């Protein structure tokens, strides 16, 4: 089901590339929501502290890095069968996700 006959040498990926591309988009959207909420928290604070402002700035940088990794993967998938995501790219994406979660907590607790 969904695979090429044995011995044909071709692979039928089905909808897997599309699902993967959509997963990257959903994750990027989630990261964008964290950044928007962090900026909103900063702008609504009466007297935002340096920790909150720094966390918001760092959140924007992490969002940008994750967006670049995600965009690279989506472009590679659109061009055909992409190369395997390397350890560096996977680690960077995972690190960005964890850092965004931590920074979201810092902004939530540290914000006015």
């Amino acid at each position: 089901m969904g695979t090429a006959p044995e011995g044909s040498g071709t692979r039928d990926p089905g909808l897997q590339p599309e699902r993967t591309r959509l997963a990257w988009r959903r994750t990027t959207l989630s990261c964008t929501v964290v950044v928007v909420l962090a900026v909103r928290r900063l702008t609504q604070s009466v007297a935002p502290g340096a920790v909150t402002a720094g966390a918001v700035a760092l959140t924007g940088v992490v969002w940008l890095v994750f967006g670049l990794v995600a965009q690279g993967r989506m472009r590679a998938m659109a061009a055909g069968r992409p190369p395997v995501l390397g350890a560096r790219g996977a680690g960077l994406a995972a690190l960005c996700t964890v850092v965004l979660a931590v920074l979201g907590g810092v902004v939530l607790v540290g914000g006015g």
Side-chain angles (χ1 to χ4, degrees):
M1 209 192 254
T3 59
E6 284 188 46
S8 69
T10 60
R11 177 179 170 267
D12 178 17
L15 293 176
Q16 184 272 329
E18 181 69 12
R19 287 191 307 267
T20 303
R21 186 182 64 78
L22 290 172
W24 277 104
R25 286 196 184 256
R26 279 192 307 270
T27 306
T28 304
L29 179 62
S30 298
C31 293
T32 303
V33 168
V34 170
V35 173
V36 168
L37 291 176
V39 169
R40 179 176 178 233
R41 178 71 174 210
L42 180 68
T43 59
Q44 290 182 345
S45 295
V46 175
V51 172
T52 302
V56 170
L58 191 54
T59 300
V61 171
V62 171
W63 172 78
L64 182 63
V65 170
F66 184 83
L68 291 172
V69 171
Q71 186 64 26
R73 287 304 293 172
M74 287 187 280
R75 281 187 179 164
M77 283 185 272
R81 188 169 182 191
V84 174
L85 180 62
R88 180 177 174 217
L92 193 57
L95 179 67
C96 286
T97 303
V98 171
V99 169
L100 276 175
V102 170
L103 289 173
V106 168
V107 169
L108 182 64
V109 173

